[in-house]
Amino acid sequence: MTAESADVASTHRPIPWGDWVVSLALLGIGVVVLLDGLNQAASTSASGVGAGFMPKVVGVLLIALSLALVVQVARGRLGEPDESEGDVDVRNTRWVPLAICVAAVGVFIAAVEPLGYLIVSSIVFWLTAWAVGARHIIRTAIIAVALSLVVYLSFTRLLDIPLPAGILGF
């Protein structure tokens, strides 16, 4: 390799699209979260901490992190893959469990209001656990209901944050 071809090779590096996309997507998510926090109603509590406080904090942190990533990518300090990342065989991806998990999220979105949090989250937890390999159907169902009940009661009774009751009508 001649000196001239080495100069051309070093000045013509491919654009690290993946690093730029991750940095800018994180910036977009941070802006959306921050705007959501800013659009929350002002707190009337004595502490001044309301529903918009944490989204504002998380949004600012996401924006700061994304800007740090943008600077790093612009300086050429790119993400390095782990040793195991290069040898992933996508032909062996388990697409059916992935589809079941995505469908479970869709079921949650569509059914949480009419059926209620307790019922839908129990079904979604059970479906997701089954998709990733849990084969004790009864035990998984009991855990799903117990976990959903603990979360529901924690939010509705302890934190005073209403979750959809649905057809159970608590």
Side-chain angles (χ1 to χ4, degrees):
M1 183 184 279
T2 65
E4 183 179 314
S5 64
D7 287 339
V8 170
S10 67
T11 59
H12 184 19
R13 291 187 308 189
I15 298 172
W17 290 110
D19 293 272
W20 282 111
V21 167
V22 168
S23 302
L24 296 176
L26 190 60
L27 177 63
I29 292 169
V31 167
V32 168
V33 171
L34 179 62
L35 289 175
D36 182 52
L38 292 172
N39 288 329
Q40 296 290 330
S43 173
T44 57
S45 70
S47 68
V49 177
F53 178 73
M54 283 310 293
K56 290 176 197 172
V57 170
V58 171
V60 168
L61 290 174
L62 286 173
I63 291 170
L65 178 61
S66 68
L67 293 177
L69 284 173
V70 165
V71 169
Q72 293 297 321
V73 172
R75 292 177 59 201
R77 296 188 63 193
L78 306 177
E80 295 293 326
D82 289 339
E83 290 179 23
S84 64
E85 285 187 23
D87 55 346
V88 174
D89 186 9
V90 295
R91 294 173 297 196
N92 293 331
T93 301
R94 297 175 52 209
W95 293 106
V96 172
L98 176 64
I100 291 171
C101 291
V102 170
V105 171
V107 166
F108 186 85
I109 292 169
V112 72
E113 287 294 330
L115 296 179
Y117 178 85
L118 185 60
I119 293 172
V120 175
S121 63
S122 297
I123 292 168
V124 168
F125 178 85
W126 184 86
L127 272 174
T128 305
W130 181 78
V132 297
R135 294 297 174 244
H136 294 87
I137 295 171
I138 302 299
R139 180 176 19 170
T140 305
I142 292 169
I143 293 170
V145 171
L147 181 64
S148 298
L149 188 60
V150 166
V151 171
Y152 182 81
L153 292 175
S154 297
F155 272 80
T156 58
R157 304 290 190 244
L158 297 176
L159 298 175
D160 232 7
I161 299 173
L163 294 176
I167 60 175
L168 296 178
F170 284 105

